[in-house]
Amino acid sequence: MTDQKWMVAAMDSLLQDCPDDISVLANACAFLFSEMEEVNWLGFYRVHQNQLYLGPFQGLPACTTIAMGKGACGRAALHDQVVVLDDVRLEENYIACHEETRAEMVIPLHKANRVVAVLDMDSLRVGRFQTEDQLFITEIAKIIEKYL
Ligand code: SME
């Protein structure tokens, strides 16, 4: 089994015993953060009254509230689309929680066809997140959605 296939299967198995959304997101981000290379922050923002609130994460403390449409996370949530930034320094609509972050990828998570959260991951390396990573993390996101 490839590493990616193993991770999808392992994530599915890990989340089966989680009793609520916070447990699901907490274990999902701990597992992903421990397995992903060159990722310095990884976590979730949850949709709450048309804003995003910081949820379970791994890494340094981060911005707690993000308006819909603002930054990479707000854009991903508002437009229900994956956002990949090769170099955050080139982005105008970007919220710098950590000065040292260079690349970022944000994946929306759904429940009943609505965006309920986003999975955000940061890297210190420009261009860290490629199409292959996007496809892989989208598969992972589908597993997480099953348990929300
Ligand atoms: N950079 C994000 C904010 C969250 S932190 O990266 C943890 C953004 O632009 O939405």
Side-chain angles (χ1 to χ4, degrees):
M1 205 187 295
T2 64
D3 280 356
Q4 292 193 352
K5 277 192 177 161
W6 172 80
M7 276 183 65
V8 170
M11 180 68 86
D12 204 339
S13 167
L14 177 71
L15 301 186
Q16 278 171 21
D17 292 330
C18 295
D20 74 357
D21 287 358
I22 294 292
S23 323
V24 167
L25 299 179
N27 259 352
C29 80
F31 178 62
L32 275 180
F33 189 71
S34 70
E35 295 294 329
M36 299 282 296
E37 290 175 1
E38 295 185 283
V39 170
N40 64 308
W41 193 95
L42 188 151
F44 296 93
Y45 282 89
R46 300 202 296 161
V47 176
H48 180 86
Q49 295 177 347
N50 210 35
Q51 290 185 311
L52 295 173
Y53 281 6
L54 181 63
F57 69 93
Q58 301 268 308
L60 291 174
C63 329
T64 55
T65 307
I66 296 176
M68 275 296 169
K70 297 294 179 192
C73 293
R75 270 190 283 157
L78 180 66
H79 302 298
D80 190 4
Q81 67 185 26
V82 176
V83 172
V84 178
L85 305 180
D86 284 339
D87 188 340
V88 301
R89 294 170 296 186
L90 305 177
E91 299 293 329
E92 284 183 12
N93 188 3
Y94 176 74
I95 300 163
C97 292
H98 308 113
E99 282 295 315
E100 66 281 13
T101 291
R102 290 293 173 265
E104 180 150 350
M105 178 164 69
V106 188
I107 310 259
L109 295 176
H110 309 86
K111 187 173 185 173
N113 291 321
R114 297 178 67 121
V115 177
V116 291
V118 296
L119 167 56
D120 179 22
M121 54 184 74
D122 298 353
S123 175
L124 302 178
R125 178 163 70 81
V126 169
R128 162 66 182 84
F129 303 109
Q130 297 297 310
T131 307
E132 187 194 351
D133 302 291
Q134 181 176 330
L135 294 173
F136 168 54
I137 297 300
T138 300
E139 283 307 303
I140 290 282
K142 284 185 195 151
I143 301 295
I144 298 170
E145 286 172 340
K146 266 174 55 179
Y147 295 98
L148 294 179

